[in-house]
Every structure is written in structure tokens, then in C-alpha cells.
Amino acid sequence: MDHSAHHTSTAHDHSAHQGRAGHTRRQKGGVTWGAAAKATLHCLTGCAIGEILGMVIGTALMWGNVQTMVLAITLAFVFGYSFTLFAVRRAGLGWKSAIKVALAADTVSIAVMELVDNGIIALTPGAMDAHLSDALFWTALLGGFAVAFVITTPVNKWMIGRGKGHAVVHAYH
């Protein structure tokens, strides 16, 4: 069916709506900072669960720094992907397609988050040798998450604006 007759007026010109009350102001790329922050927070939640679990397990078992970080990063990816995977599965996607969507949606976001977070932990003097009962352990870990969120949000905004990253998940919400 030809719908071209319905789009001849400015009634569908979305740029005419910018700045009006009740509309979220969009930034360059058509993605709001709020949408990017929400996508980053979604990703950070899964990453944080995996990262904390890995750090707690490795530290409790008195593993070395490298083994603990490898476990923490691995679990961050597992939990980060699983949040998206289960969401798109609930939306009716098959396993194979859901895995592809999760990988496309979260890989860059998780990788940036893990690089920043673990970099901060590694560069904070004494943090890698701190125990679970030490404030330094938790301060470095949680501070790393905060910095990772701030750095990863613009990355997600850029990716979503180009139809990548969390933008691939939006079709299933």
C-alpha cells in the first residue's frame, strides 16, 4: 500500500517538535543522554554482579590477582550478556537469535566497562592486595564502576545513534 500521500505535509516532520514541552530533547544522533545512561546502567548492573562475584570468589579463595581478574571479567561478561539474553528470549526470540542480539548489544559496552573498571582497580595502590573486609577493596571496586559508567555512557550514546549496541535490542522491547 502506498503511504506517500500521508507524508506530504510537515505533520510528520519530527524536527518541528524539538523544544516543545513534553518532548525529550534529543542530542546529535537522535539519542538522548537519558537513553544512553539507561542502556549503560542496564549493562553495568550485569557487569557489576559478575565482577563483584568474581572478585569476592577469587579473594576469598586467596587466588592470585591475575586469576581473580580473569574470573571477575569472565563473570562480568556472562552476567552482562545474560540480562539481555533473557530479556529478548522473553520477547519471543529463539536461542540462536537471542545470543546474536546479546553479543551485538553488549560486547563493546561490557568491554569498555571492564577495561575502565579493572584498570582503575589495577592502578589503585594496594587495591589488588586488599581483602574483602578492607574499605580499599570496596572503594576501588565501586569507584571503578562509577568511572566506567561515566566513560561508557557516551560510547553507548554514539553506538545507539548509529543503530548499534543497545539499539539492536529496542526492536524486542
Side-chain angles (χ1 to χ4, degrees):
M1 177 181 262
D2 181 22
H3 293 284
S4 61
H6 298 289
H7 297 285
T8 58
S9 71
T10 59
H12 290 86
D13 180 9
H14 296 289
S15 64
H17 298 296
Q18 289 196 0
R20 290 173 109 183
H23 288 278
T24 303
R25 185 175 177 139
R26 299 203 178 263
Q27 302 297 319
K28 185 178 180 185
V31 180
T32 65
W33 282 103
K38 185 177 177 182
T40 305
L41 187 58
H42 174 267
C43 190
L44 179 64
T45 302
C47 287
I49 291 168
E51 181 89 15
I52 290 170
L53 187 59
M55 289 289 187
V56 168
I57 290 170
T59 302
L61 295 176
M62 292 193 229
W63 286 1
N65 292 340
V66 172
Q67 296 91 339
T68 299
M69 271 192 152
V70 168
L71 177 63
I73 291 167
T74 300
L75 290 177
F77 273 92
V78 168
F79 279 88
Y81 286 139
S82 69
F83 276 31
T84 299
L85 180 66
F86 292 119
V88 295
R89 285 282 297 143
R90 268 194 315 270
L93 231 55
W95 278 105
K96 188 175 180 179
S97 295
I99 290 169
K100 287 180 181 179
V101 168
L103 291 172
D106 295 330
T107 299
V108 172
S109 183
I110 295 171
V112 170
M113 217 167 278
E114 287 304 299
L115 180 67
V116 171
D117 178 48
N118 284 287
I120 288 171
I121 293 167
L123 294 174
T124 300
M128 291 299 296
D129 297 320
H131 296 281
L132 295 175
S133 59
D134 296 337
L136 179 60
F137 174 88
W138 295 103
T139 303
L141 188 62
L142 298 177
F145 290 145
V147 173
F149 177 82
V150 169
I151 291 175
T152 308
T153 298
V155 172
N156 282 332
K157 183 180 182 311
W158 181 81
M159 289 180 58
I160 294 167
R162 280 146 189 80
K164 301 188 182 314
H166 261 267
V168 301
V169 176
H170 290 219
Y172 304 101
H173 285 283

